[in-house]
Short mmCIF file of all heavy atoms in Angstrom, two decimals:
data_model
loop_
_atom_site.label_atom_id
_atom_site.label_comp_id
_atom_site.label_asym_id
_atom_site.label_seq_id
_atom_site.Cartn_x
_atom_site.Cartn_y
_atom_site.Cartn_z
N SER A 48 153.50 122.81 169.67
CA SER A 48 154.61 123.53 169.07
C SER A 48 155.87 123.24 169.87
O SER A 48 155.85 122.51 170.86
CB SER A 48 154.35 125.04 169.05
OG SER A 48 154.49 125.57 170.36
N ARG A 49 156.97 123.86 169.45
CA ARG A 49 158.23 123.66 170.17
C ARG A 49 158.18 124.27 171.56
O ARG A 49 159.07 124.04 172.38
CB ARG A 49 159.40 124.25 169.37
CG ARG A 49 159.46 125.77 169.32
CD ARG A 49 160.63 126.20 168.44
NE ARG A 49 160.90 127.63 168.46
CZ ARG A 49 160.23 128.53 167.74
NH1 ARG A 49 159.25 128.14 166.94
NH2 ARG A 49 160.54 129.81 167.81
N HIS A 50 157.15 125.07 171.83
CA HIS A 50 157.00 125.69 173.15
C HIS A 50 156.17 124.83 174.10
O HIS A 50 155.89 125.25 175.22
CB HIS A 50 156.35 127.06 173.01
CG HIS A 50 157.11 127.99 172.11
ND1 HIS A 50 158.40 128.40 172.38
CD2 HIS A 50 156.77 128.56 170.92
CE1 HIS A 50 158.82 129.20 171.41
NE2 HIS A 50 157.86 129.31 170.52
N SER A 51 155.77 123.65 173.68
CA SER A 51 154.94 122.76 174.51
C SER A 51 155.59 122.53 175.88
O SER A 51 156.72 122.05 175.96
CB SER A 51 154.77 121.40 173.82
OG SER A 51 154.37 120.41 174.73
N PRO A 52 154.89 122.85 176.97
CA PRO A 52 155.47 122.63 178.29
C PRO A 52 155.72 121.16 178.58
O PRO A 52 156.66 120.81 179.30
CB PRO A 52 154.43 123.22 179.25
CG PRO A 52 153.16 123.31 178.48
CD PRO A 52 153.56 123.50 177.06
N ARG A 53 154.91 120.27 178.00
CA ARG A 53 155.13 118.84 178.23
C ARG A 53 156.44 118.39 177.59
O ARG A 53 157.23 117.69 178.21
CB ARG A 53 153.95 118.04 177.67
CG ARG A 53 152.68 118.16 178.48
CD ARG A 53 151.54 117.38 177.88
NE ARG A 53 151.11 117.94 176.59
CZ ARG A 53 150.27 118.97 176.46
NH1 ARG A 53 149.80 119.56 177.54
NH2 ARG A 53 149.92 119.42 175.28
N ASN A 54 156.66 118.79 176.34
CA ASN A 54 157.91 118.41 175.69
C ASN A 54 159.11 119.07 176.35
O ASN A 54 160.20 118.47 176.44
CB ASN A 54 157.86 118.75 174.20
CG ASN A 54 157.05 117.73 173.42
OD1 ASN A 54 156.71 116.66 173.92
ND2 ASN A 54 156.73 118.05 172.18
N HIS A 55 158.95 120.30 176.81
CA HIS A 55 160.06 120.97 177.51
C HIS A 55 160.42 120.22 178.78
O HIS A 55 161.60 120.09 179.12
CB HIS A 55 159.70 122.42 177.82
CG HIS A 55 160.08 123.36 176.72
ND1 HIS A 55 161.34 123.93 176.62
CD2 HIS A 55 159.38 123.83 175.66
CE1 HIS A 55 161.40 124.71 175.55
NE2 HIS A 55 160.22 124.66 174.95
N PHE A 56 159.41 119.72 179.48
CA PHE A 56 159.68 118.97 180.70
C PHE A 56 160.46 117.70 180.38
O PHE A 56 161.47 117.39 181.03
CB PHE A 56 158.37 118.61 181.41
CG PHE A 56 158.58 117.79 182.65
CD1 PHE A 56 158.85 118.40 183.87
CD2 PHE A 56 158.52 116.41 182.60
CE1 PHE A 56 159.07 117.65 185.02
CE2 PHE A 56 158.73 115.64 183.75
CZ PHE A 56 159.00 116.27 184.95
N VAL A 57 159.99 116.94 179.39
CA VAL A 57 160.69 115.71 179.00
C VAL A 57 162.11 116.03 178.54
O VAL A 57 163.06 115.33 178.88
CB VAL A 57 159.91 114.97 177.90
CG1 VAL A 57 160.71 113.76 177.41
CG2 VAL A 57 158.55 114.51 178.42
N ALA A 58 162.26 117.11 177.77
CA ALA A 58 163.59 117.49 177.27
C ALA A 58 164.55 117.79 178.42
O ALA A 58 165.73 117.41 178.36
CB ALA A 58 163.47 118.69 176.33
N ARG A 59 164.06 118.46 179.46
CA ARG A 59 164.93 118.75 180.61
C ARG A 59 165.40 117.46 181.28
O ARG A 59 166.57 117.37 181.69
CB ARG A 59 164.19 119.64 181.61
CG ARG A 59 164.05 121.08 181.16
CD ARG A 59 163.65 121.99 182.32
NE ARG A 59 162.34 121.64 182.86
CZ ARG A 59 161.19 122.14 182.41
NH1 ARG A 59 161.19 122.98 181.38
NH2 ARG A 59 160.05 121.79 182.97
N VAL A 60 164.51 116.48 181.38
CA VAL A 60 164.90 115.21 181.99
C VAL A 60 165.94 114.50 181.11
O VAL A 60 166.91 113.93 181.62
CB VAL A 60 163.67 114.32 182.23
CG1 VAL A 60 164.08 112.93 182.70
CG2 VAL A 60 162.74 114.97 183.26
N LEU A 61 165.75 114.55 179.79
CA LEU A 61 166.74 113.93 178.90
C LEU A 61 168.09 114.61 179.05
O LEU A 61 169.13 113.93 179.11
CB LEU A 61 166.27 114.03 177.44
CG LEU A 61 165.02 113.25 177.03
CD1 LEU A 61 164.84 113.34 175.51
CD2 LEU A 61 165.09 111.81 177.47
N ARG A 62 168.09 115.93 179.12
CA ARG A 62 169.38 116.64 179.26
C ARG A 62 170.04 116.33 180.60
O ARG A 62 171.27 116.27 180.69
CB ARG A 62 169.18 118.14 179.06
CG ARG A 62 168.80 118.50 177.63
CD ARG A 62 168.93 119.99 177.37
NE ARG A 62 168.04 120.78 178.19
CZ ARG A 62 166.80 121.13 177.84
NH1 ARG A 62 166.29 120.71 176.69
NH2 ARG A 62 166.06 121.88 178.64
N SER A 63 169.22 116.13 181.64
CA SER A 63 169.80 115.77 182.94
C SER A 63 170.44 114.38 182.88
O SER A 63 171.30 114.06 183.71
CB SER A 63 168.73 115.83 184.04
OG SER A 63 167.81 114.75 183.92
N ALA A 64 169.99 113.57 181.91
CA ALA A 64 170.61 112.25 181.68
C ALA A 64 171.78 112.34 180.70
O ALA A 64 172.32 111.32 180.28
CB ALA A 64 169.56 111.27 181.16
N GLY A 65 172.13 113.57 180.31
CA GLY A 65 173.29 113.77 179.45
C GLY A 65 173.02 113.72 177.97
O GLY A 65 173.96 113.67 177.16
N ILE A 66 171.74 113.75 177.57
CA ILE A 66 171.37 113.62 176.16
C ILE A 66 170.90 114.96 175.62
O ILE A 66 170.14 115.68 176.27
CB ILE A 66 170.26 112.56 175.99
CG1 ILE A 66 170.80 111.19 176.42
CG2 ILE A 66 169.75 112.50 174.57
CD1 ILE A 66 169.73 110.15 176.61
N GLY A 67 171.35 115.32 174.42
CA GLY A 67 170.96 116.58 173.80
C GLY A 67 169.53 116.54 173.28
O GLY A 67 168.95 115.47 173.06
N THR A 68 168.96 117.72 173.09
CA THR A 68 167.57 117.81 172.59
C THR A 68 167.46 118.90 171.52
O THR A 68 168.18 119.89 171.55
CB THR A 68 166.59 118.15 173.73
OG1 THR A 68 166.93 119.41 174.33
CG2 THR A 68 166.60 117.07 174.80
N LEU A 69 166.54 118.65 170.60
CA LEU A 69 166.17 119.65 169.60
C LEU A 69 164.65 119.73 169.57
O LEU A 69 163.98 118.81 169.09
CB LEU A 69 166.70 119.30 168.22
CG LEU A 69 166.24 120.21 167.07
CD1 LEU A 69 166.67 121.66 167.31
CD2 LEU A 69 166.76 119.72 165.72
N LEU A 70 164.11 120.80 170.15
CA LEU A 70 162.69 121.06 170.10
C LEU A 70 162.44 121.93 168.88
O LEU A 70 163.06 122.99 168.73
CB LEU A 70 162.24 121.78 171.38
CG LEU A 70 162.30 120.93 172.65
CD1 LEU A 70 162.43 121.82 173.88
CD2 LEU A 70 161.06 120.06 172.77
N LEU A 71 161.54 121.50 168.00
CA LEU A 71 161.33 122.29 166.80
C LEU A 71 159.88 122.22 166.35
O LEU A 71 159.09 121.39 166.80
CB LEU A 71 162.24 121.82 165.67
CG LEU A 71 161.81 120.59 164.85
CD1 LEU A 71 162.52 120.61 163.51
CD2 LEU A 71 162.12 119.30 165.57
N ASP A 72 159.53 123.16 165.49
CA ASP A 72 158.22 123.17 164.84
C ASP A 72 158.35 122.54 163.47
O ASP A 72 159.16 122.99 162.66
CB ASP A 72 157.70 124.60 164.70
CG ASP A 72 157.39 125.25 166.04
OD1 ASP A 72 157.08 124.51 166.98
OD2 ASP A 72 157.45 126.49 166.13
N LEU A 73 157.54 121.53 163.21
CA LEU A 73 157.58 120.88 161.90
C LEU A 73 156.74 121.64 160.88
O LEU A 73 156.81 121.35 159.68
CB LEU A 73 157.10 119.44 162.01
CG LEU A 73 158.04 118.50 162.74
CD1 LEU A 73 157.43 117.12 162.88
CD2 LEU A 73 159.38 118.41 162.03
N LEU A 74 155.94 122.61 161.36
CA LEU A 74 155.17 123.47 160.47
C LEU A 74 155.64 124.91 160.64
O LEU A 74 156.06 125.31 161.73
CB LEU A 74 153.68 123.38 160.80
CG LEU A 74 153.01 122.01 160.69
CD1 LEU A 74 151.55 122.10 161.10
CD2 LEU A 74 153.14 121.45 159.28
N THR A 75 155.56 125.69 159.59
CA THR A 75 155.88 127.12 159.67
C THR A 75 154.74 127.83 160.38
O THR A 75 153.63 127.28 160.51
CB THR A 75 156.05 127.71 158.27
OG1 THR A 75 154.77 127.67 157.60
CG2 THR A 75 157.07 126.94 157.45
N PRO A 76 154.95 129.06 160.85
CA PRO A 76 153.85 129.81 161.48
C PRO A 76 152.62 129.93 160.58
O PRO A 76 151.49 129.82 161.05
CB PRO A 76 154.48 131.18 161.76
CG PRO A 76 155.94 130.88 161.95
CD PRO A 76 156.23 129.79 160.97
N GLN A 77 152.84 130.14 159.28
CA GLN A 77 151.71 130.25 158.35
C GLN A 77 150.96 128.92 158.25
O GLN A 77 149.73 128.88 158.22
CB GLN A 77 152.21 130.69 156.97
CG GLN A 77 152.80 132.09 156.91
CD GLN A 77 154.23 132.16 157.44
OE1 GLN A 77 154.89 131.12 157.64
NE2 GLN A 77 154.71 133.38 157.68
N GLU A 78 151.72 127.82 158.21
CA GLU A 78 151.09 126.51 158.14
C GLU A 78 150.34 126.19 159.43
O GLU A 78 149.27 125.56 159.40
CB GLU A 78 152.15 125.44 157.86
CG GLU A 78 152.70 125.50 156.44
CD GLU A 78 153.89 124.58 156.26
OE1 GLU A 78 154.57 124.25 157.26
OE2 GLU A 78 154.17 124.20 155.11
N GLU A 79 150.89 126.62 160.56
CA GLU A 79 150.22 126.38 161.84
C GLU A 79 148.90 127.13 161.90
O GLU A 79 147.90 126.61 162.41
CB GLU A 79 151.13 126.78 162.99
CG GLU A 79 152.28 125.80 163.20
CD GLU A 79 153.22 126.23 164.30
OE1 GLU A 79 153.06 127.36 164.82
OE2 GLU A 79 154.13 125.45 164.64
N ASP A 80 148.88 128.35 161.37
CA ASP A 80 147.63 129.12 161.33
C ASP A 80 146.58 128.39 160.49
O ASP A 80 145.41 128.31 160.87
CB ASP A 80 147.88 130.52 160.75
CG ASP A 80 148.67 131.41 161.71
OD1 ASP A 80 148.73 131.09 162.90
OD2 ASP A 80 149.22 132.43 161.24
N LEU A 81 147.01 127.85 159.35
CA LEU A 81 146.10 127.11 158.49
C LEU A 81 145.62 125.84 159.18
O LEU A 81 144.44 125.47 159.13
CB LEU A 81 146.80 126.77 157.17
CG LEU A 81 146.00 125.90 156.18
CD1 LEU A 81 144.73 126.62 155.73
CD2 LEU A 81 146.87 125.54 154.98
N ASP A 82 146.55 125.17 159.86
CA ASP A 82 146.22 123.92 160.52
C ASP A 82 145.24 124.12 161.67
O ASP A 82 144.44 123.24 161.98
CB ASP A 82 147.50 123.25 161.03
CG ASP A 82 147.25 121.83 161.51
OD1 ASP A 82 146.76 121.02 160.70
OD2 ASP A 82 147.53 121.53 162.69
N GLU A 83 145.30 125.29 162.31
CA GLU A 83 144.35 125.59 163.38
C GLU A 83 142.91 125.56 162.84
O GLU A 83 141.97 125.22 163.56
CB GLU A 83 144.65 126.96 163.99
CG GLU A 83 145.82 126.97 164.95
CD GLU A 83 145.55 126.14 166.20
OE1 GLU A 83 144.45 126.25 166.77
OE2 GLU A 83 146.45 125.37 166.60
N ILE A 84 142.76 125.90 161.58
CA ILE A 84 141.43 125.94 160.96
C ILE A 84 141.06 124.58 160.38
O ILE A 84 139.95 124.07 160.60
CB ILE A 84 141.40 127.01 159.84
CG1 ILE A 84 141.70 128.39 160.43
CG2 ILE A 84 140.05 127.00 159.13
CD1 ILE A 84 141.93 129.46 159.38
N THR A 85 141.98 123.97 159.65
CA THR A 85 141.65 122.75 158.91
C THR A 85 141.99 121.45 159.65
O THR A 85 141.39 120.40 159.37
CB THR A 85 142.40 122.73 157.57
OG1 THR A 85 143.81 122.63 157.82
CG2 THR A 85 142.12 124.00 156.77
N GLU A 86 142.99 121.52 160.55
CA GLU A 86 143.52 120.33 161.25
C GLU A 86 144.00 119.27 160.26
O GLU A 86 144.02 118.08 160.57
CB GLU A 86 142.49 119.74 162.21
CG GLU A 86 142.11 120.68 163.34
CD GLU A 86 141.24 120.02 164.39
OE1 GLU A 86 140.87 118.84 164.22
OE2 GLU A 86 140.93 120.67 165.40
N ALA A 87 144.41 119.70 159.08
CA ALA A 87 144.81 118.76 158.03
C ALA A 87 146.31 118.47 158.06
O ALA A 87 146.73 117.31 157.91
CB ALA A 87 144.40 119.28 156.67
N LEU A 88 147.12 119.50 158.24
CA LEU A 88 148.56 119.31 158.13
C LEU A 88 149.11 118.43 159.25
O LEU A 88 150.07 117.69 159.04
CB LEU A 88 149.27 120.66 158.12
CG LEU A 88 149.02 121.52 156.87
CD1 LEU A 88 149.67 122.88 157.03
CD2 LEU A 88 149.52 120.82 155.63
N ARG A 89 148.51 118.49 160.42
CA ARG A 89 149.00 117.67 161.53
C ARG A 89 148.82 116.18 161.25
O ARG A 89 149.46 115.36 161.88
CB ARG A 89 148.28 118.05 162.83
CG ARG A 89 146.81 117.70 162.86
CD ARG A 89 146.11 118.25 164.08
NE ARG A 89 146.05 119.70 164.07
CZ ARG A 89 145.46 120.41 165.04
NH1 ARG A 89 144.93 119.80 166.07
NH2 ARG A 89 145.43 121.73 164.97
#
Side-chain angles (χ1 to χ4, degrees):
S48 74
R49 71 183 188 278
H50 303 298
S51 161
R53 288 179 293 277
N54 282 348
H55 271 274
F56 178 85
V57 174
R59 286 195 297 271
V60 173
L61 294 187
R62 292 194 297 270
S63 72
I66 297 166
T68 60
L69 174 60
L70 292 155
L71 81 158
D72 293 333
L73 290 176
L74 300 178
T75 66
Q77 295 79 13
E78 289 171 336
E79 287 177 354
D80 289 342
L81 176 63
D82 190 57
E83 283 294 316
I84 299 170
T85 66
E86 297 188 357
L88 293 175
R89 68 187 67 179

